[in-house]
Amino acid sequence: MKRGIFITVEGPEGAGKSTILGLLHEKLQQEGYSLLLTREPGGISISEQIREVVLNKDNTTMDERTEALLYAASRRQHLVEKVEPALSEGEIVLCDRFIDSSLAYQGHARGLGIDEVYRINKFAIDDTMPDLTLYFDIEPEEGLQRIHKNDDREVNRLDMENLSFHHKVREGYHLLVDRFPERIKVIDASDDISKVLDQTLKVVKHFIHKRNVL
Ligand code: TYD
């Protein structure tokens, strides 16, 4: 069986990636693709339990390396238990956040260093990097404003960081875009939803088509 395609979606808070991911999933499903929609940190019981710890607002004393290791541990379990089996079955896996979140948030914004955080993640993921990553780009001010307007969204420990942290996160993502231009495609998330969805569909379909032709 031909291996599936691993697509990850990245971006700062309030970029709308989860909403767009849901719509993308729906569209591709209607077109007959076999898909798995999942998220990090979480997606399965053990990783959801780690998520509880890492995002708990009461854990104000959490050390930065502990934070990075918890995300990596959650990633490992989710990968072996859910992502890898689906890829082996030939499915398209759509994953809300993956390694680039750790590189941007813990590596760059927390200051642990992108290379250092990559190293612990390499232990967690072996060679399973995403085939395609969609990065939803938005000014932090605009993203945070969207979150505060959305009453349904729970505010987590990282949302509570100050604006300069969120600027650092964005800067981190931009460094990653420069470093992996082939894999990471930038989507302008400041547009309205239908336009962002159109851009996203275009990039994803182009990628799938290229994959199936080759
Ligand atoms: P979530 O509620 O899923 O937020 P979002 O809708 O923005 O994806 O919370 C995930 C939070 O965890 C988010 O603030 C980013 C952070 N995060 C990291 O810092 N490092 C990581 O490796 C991952 C996967 C997430």
Side-chain angles (χ1 to χ4, degrees):
M1 155 108 38
K2 196 170 167 188
R3 190 174 163 81
I5 303 177
F6 186 22
I7 301 176
T8 60
V9 173
E10 294 284 352
E13 331 293 317
K17 61 186 172 42
S18 310
T19 310
I20 296 291
L21 201 51
L23 295 169
L24 175 71
H25 179 243
E26 210 173 288
K27 280 261 181 199
L28 293 176
Q29 217 168 26
Q30 280 163 5
E31 293 183 22
Y33 290 104
S34 174
L35 300 148
L36 170 73
L37 175 62
T38 188
R39 72 160 181 183
E40 274 201 1
I44 49 156
S45 172
I46 293 175
S47 302
E48 290 289 346
Q49 291 173 55
I50 299 174
R51 179 186 173 92
E52 288 285 317
V53 175
V54 81
L55 293 180
N56 188 333
K57 278 182 285 195
D58 297 333
N59 288 337
T60 48
T61 56
M62 189 177 291
D63 171 76
E64 284 136 5
R65 292 189 190 198
T66 306
E67 181 179 287
L69 289 163
L70 285 173
Y71 279 117
S74 155
R75 177 160 303 128
R76 170 75 192 166
Q77 189 66 30
H78 179 243
L79 188 70
V80 293
E81 208 177 314
K82 200 163 179 190
V83 175
E84 274 296 346
L87 290 173
S88 304
E89 287 297 309
E91 290 185 25
I92 297 175
V93 176
L94 299 175
C95 186
D96 195 341
R97 297 193 182 278
F98 192 62
I99 186 171
D100 299 300
S101 285
S102 285
L103 302 178
Y105 283 77
Q106 283 69 50
H108 191 69
R110 289 276 191 237
L112 293 177
I114 289 181
D115 292 326
E116 194 78 343
V117 173
Y118 176 77
R119 268 194 286 280
I120 61 157
N121 274 275
K122 173 86 174 97
F123 178 69
I125 67 173
D126 282 330
D127 292 323
T128 311
M129 282 296 278
D131 298 300
L132 172 68
T133 297
L134 307 166
Y135 163 58
F136 286 77
D137 190 39
I138 193 161
E139 291 276 355
E141 286 83 351
E142 200 179 329
L144 292 174
Q145 210 175 21
R146 284 184 184 175
I147 293 183
H148 294 307
K149 270 195 213 148
N150 179 357
D151 295 335
D152 295 341
R153 189 188 184 286
E154 204 191 320
V155 175
N156 69 44
R157 197 169 57 82
L158 279 93
D159 296 336
M160 286 162 37
E161 287 290 339
N162 62 24
L163 193 58
S164 76
F165 176 82
H166 294 287
H167 275 284
K168 278 283 224 186
V169 169
R170 185 172 190 228
E171 197 177 84
Y173 275 123
H174 287 186
L175 291 172
L176 296 172
V177 169
D178 290 343
R179 195 140 150 182
F180 305 106
E182 276 301 305
R183 173 173 64 83
I184 307 181
K185 303 296 173 209
V186 183
I187 308 276
D188 177 1
S190 64
D191 262 338
D192 61 60
I193 275 205
S194 66
K195 285 201 185 124
V196 179
L197 181 61
D198 283 350
Q199 281 187 69
T200 309
L201 272 169
K202 212 164 119 189
V203 173
V204 170
K205 284 195 176 167
H206 177 74
F207 187 87
I208 296 176
H209 181 72
K210 210 170 71 184
R211 243 315 170 84
N212 290 340
V213 168
L214 292 177

